[in-house]
Amino acid sequence: MKAGIRFGVGALVCAVSLAAIAGDARAASTTYASVIALDTNGAVYVEELTKTAGCSSVLTESRVSHVGTVTNLLADIDGDGLSDLVEWNAATVYVSFGQVDLAGTALFSGENRLLNQTFSGNVANLVYDANGDGYQDLIAWNTNSIYYAAGNGRSSFSAPALLSSYTFYGQKANTLGDVNADGAPDFIAWDNGSMWVMASGSSGYSAPTEWLNGGFYGSVANLNGFYATHYNNLNIAWNSSSIWVTDSNSCLCSFGTPSQAGSGSFSGSQANLAVDVNLDGYTDLVAVNASNMKVELFNTTGGYGTSATTWCTNTFYGSEATLAGYTAR
């Protein structure tokens, strides 16, 4: 590890319940929103975020041998409530499964090769349950097609299958969300002056349609999150001095008028992450700087506030991939 761990934007995940975590150590363990760092040499480190300001000491995990050349992601591949490390290479995909470890030195299992063929997208490479079977799938998003490789838990990903052959991608960002609350992934393209959606339906994916007319994107990050009292999809445009959000209205096939949800200087020099820090079902934002980590919690009135709270003051960033997810010990 260098002077720390550099974090990138991680996947957004709802609050995790211990009831979803399998294993004999479940009753004795605590779930944390965590930042996981993967160094270029395969070293893995974890820092847990407490529900109120504070972080654990840095936990050193087993080294991995197949650092992803396409991307490295955190996702709950096996459905046990813990984040798994996905190492996605051009012709292979390896997964190190998250597991309960009270000592904190084996929060991820050894690597498992779950896909052994060429598979990746030139727009985005993402993870979502594309076929509704409860297991996360690999999604390769190309400019004129989208394919997925279905997961079955811990065994393998299937041969890629076509999801869509529309030409569809955004100039500013390309994300996944559930805009129509049917449990299937919808594809969201963020452009300079509009947002477009390719939504799932009973007969496949519809042609892309405009859901928001007007510029809505952030200079720091463009994310999808969770809003516990509404639909699952919350679009977050994160700027250096303001945060704006808009959520989906599936009845009208549109996003609502963007509203400012936060103000004040807030962004990370090393990375900007989204994760449910206090496990309340809302997406919180984490800014990682060279010598500290700051957090803005999403509150029940629908905002992030006007000032960030310093959660940690240690230097913690890595050289290859920086991800946000959930661990238990």
Side-chain angles (χ1 to χ4, degrees):
M1 184 174 71
K2 293 184 176 180
I5 303 171
R6 182 167 56 252
F7 302 111
V9 175
L12 305 184
V13 184
C14 272
V16 176
S17 168
L18 278 178
I21 300 174
D24 295 337
R26 179 179 61 187
S29 69
T30 300
T31 300
Y32 296 93
S34 297
V35 180
I36 291 89
L38 176 62
D39 274 353
T40 303
N41 63 4
V44 179
Y45 304 92
V46 174
E47 188 163 35
E48 301 155 338
L49 310 181
T50 60
K51 291 183 180 181
T52 56
C55 298
S56 71
S57 57
V58 176
L59 305 173
T60 302
E61 306 300 316
S62 299
R63 189 180 299 268
V64 298
S65 303
H66 301 90
V67 175
T69 56
V70 171
T71 190
N72 298 277
L73 303 168
L74 283 178
D76 184 9
I77 298 298
D78 58 356
D80 68 350
L82 296 177
S83 297
D84 308 313
L85 177 60
V86 180
E87 302 143 42
W88 192 333
N89 294 282
T92 57
V93 176
Y94 287 81
V95 176
S96 298
F97 292 102
Q99 57 190 13
V100 175
D101 176 55
L102 300 184
T105 58
L107 293 172
F108 295 95
S109 69
E111 295 169 292
N112 303 269
R113 188 176 67 185
L114 300 192
L115 185 69
N116 189 30
Q117 69 179 93
T118 300
F119 178 64
S120 63
N122 60 18
V123 171
N125 296 280
L126 306 164
V127 176
Y128 210 106
D129 181 7
N131 57 8
D133 65 354
Y135 294 114
Q136 300 294 297
D137 310 314
L138 304 178
I139 297 178
W141 186 343
N142 297 286
T143 55
N144 58 0
S145 64
I146 299 174
Y147 285 82
Y148 80 104
N152 60 9
R154 286 179 166 256
S155 299
S156 65
F157 292 106
S158 67
L162 182 68
L163 271 180
S164 167
S165 56
Y166 290 108
T167 297
F168 177 65
Y169 58 95
Q171 299 165 318
K172 291 297 183 180
N174 299 276
T175 58
L176 288 175
D178 184 10
V179 302
N180 53 11
D182 67 350
D186 305 308
F187 295 84
I188 306 170
W190 306 53
D191 282 330
N192 284 308
S194 60
M195 293 181 73
W196 291 70
V197 170
M198 188 170 65
S200 62
S202 58
S203 58
Y205 280 88
S206 64
T209 57
E210 186 179 64
W211 276 50
L212 181 69
N213 185 278
F216 178 74
Y217 55 87
S219 59
V220 171
N222 298 285
L223 309 167
N224 287 100
F226 291 91
Y227 190 179
T229 60
H230 207 271
Y231 293 121
N232 284 341
N233 190 79
L234 180 73
N235 302 304
I236 305 168
W238 185 349
N239 297 286
S240 58
S241 59
S242 65
I243 300 165
W244 292 73
V245 298
T246 177
D247 57 8
S248 56
N249 186 328
S250 62
C251 297
L252 299 177
C253 291
S254 66
F255 293 124
T257 302
S259 60
Q260 187 170 356
S263 61
S265 179
F266 175 61
S267 63
S269 61
Q270 302 301 320
N272 300 279
L273 306 171
V275 68
D276 184 2
V277 172
N278 56 359
L279 304 181
D280 65 350
Y282 295 86
T283 297
D284 308 312
L285 302 179
V286 181
V288 181
N289 296 288
S291 60
N292 63 54
M293 197 180 303
K294 294 186 176 183
V295 171
E296 285 201 8
L297 300 175
F298 192 92
N299 59 55
T300 55
T301 60
Y304 286 103
T306 58
S307 62
T309 300
T310 299
W311 233 250
C312 325
T313 56
N314 60 321
T315 300
F316 188 65
Y317 61 92
S319 58
E320 180 63 35
T322 56
L323 309 164
Y326 302 93
T327 58
R329 71 181 179 101

